Amino acid sequence: MIISSIAKTAKALTQRRFTLDFPNEREQLSDRERYMLRLDMPTCISCGACERVCPNKTIEMVNVESEKPNKKMPKIDIERCMFCGLCAEVCPTKCLVMTKSYDFEAYDKRMFVKRPEDLE
Ligand code: SF4
Ligand code: SF4
């Protein structure tokens, strides 16, 4: 019994690791992975195409500070997001893109609601 336990421990110590020392180590993601959205506010033309195409009603156009009156940009509730990428696909200026950043856990669900300024 004891010998078998020692043997198992020795075997486990010599095997390659299956876990990463996160966040110091990160897995290699493929080019097809899609996570947090990023918005380049200066090139957003406030067309609202991202809001209209979102299948999960995740995006709401909200007012932002601007020299132009009633300038609106997308506010995104990441908790509702399916990471389908449709919003980034239809964006005419490609100011809205999907990134590989998946490290956005939060204790408070209100932190998942990202205003345009939070998405930059
Ligand atoms: S990735 Fe899909 S679900 Fe998420 S905000 Fe864009 S369109 Fe909506
Ligand atoms: S992020 Fe793109 S699709 Fe959405 S309002 Fe701005 S320009 Fe239009």
Side-chain angles (χ1 to χ4, degrees), residues 37 53-56 58-59 76 81-87 98:
L37 285 143
V53 79
C54 179
N56 218 21
T58 304
I59 300 179
I76 302 179
C81 181
M82 302 184 295
F83 306 104
C84 65
L86 286 175
C87 53
M98 309 240 28

Side-chain angles (χ1 to χ4, degrees), residues 65-78:
E65 273 187 38
S66 168
E67 292 161 2
K68 294 181 189 165
N70 294 323
K71 177 92 174 160
K72 292 186 179 226
M73 291 189 192
K75 176 179 89 174
I76 302 179
D77 183 352
I78 294 297

